[in-house]
Amino acid sequence: MSTALKRGESGVIIPGGMAEAMWAGRVEDESDHLYLVNRKGFVKLAMSVGAKVVPVYTFGESLSCGIDVVPFFPLRLWVTSK
């Protein structure tokens, strides 16, 4: 990623990663789950190469997957939090 940014190319980083993706399609509490605490490396990377950070939030994205039943969801959620 740093090589691409140094060349002036654009990149997309999803700081929430798998922990956030685990909630995709789950509608039981009708809220979005964001995982941003302690995930500042992408900002440090952008600053180190002089790249711009453009924050983007998409409303309803978690409902776009259509997966409501994820096998072993509590276990998978626990694993992604480690």
Side-chain angles (χ1 to χ4, degrees), residues 3-80:
T3 303
L5 292 175
K6 286 177 186 176
R7 289 192 304 242
E9 297 176 12
S10 298
V12 175
I13 296 176
I14 302 171
M18 283 306 299
E20 204 168 281
M22 283 298 303
W23 288 98
R26 310 253 334 155
V27 295
E28 67 248 1
D29 59 2
E30 295 185 18
S31 61
D32 290 331
H33 299 267
L34 302 177
Y35 289 81
L36 295 174
V37 177
N38 298 323
R39 298 188 183 209
K40 301 169 190 83
F42 68 99
V43 175
K44 292 177 185 176
L45 173 63
M47 290 175 63
S48 72
V49 298
K52 296 178 182 176
V53 175
V54 180
V56 176
Y57 182 82
T58 53
F59 292 92
E61 180 183 2
S62 61
L63 301 177
S64 65
C65 292
I67 303 169
D68 193 27
V69 179
V70 177
F72 307 106
F73 179 73
L75 176 62
R76 289 178 180 202
L77 192 60
W78 178 79
V79 168
T80 59

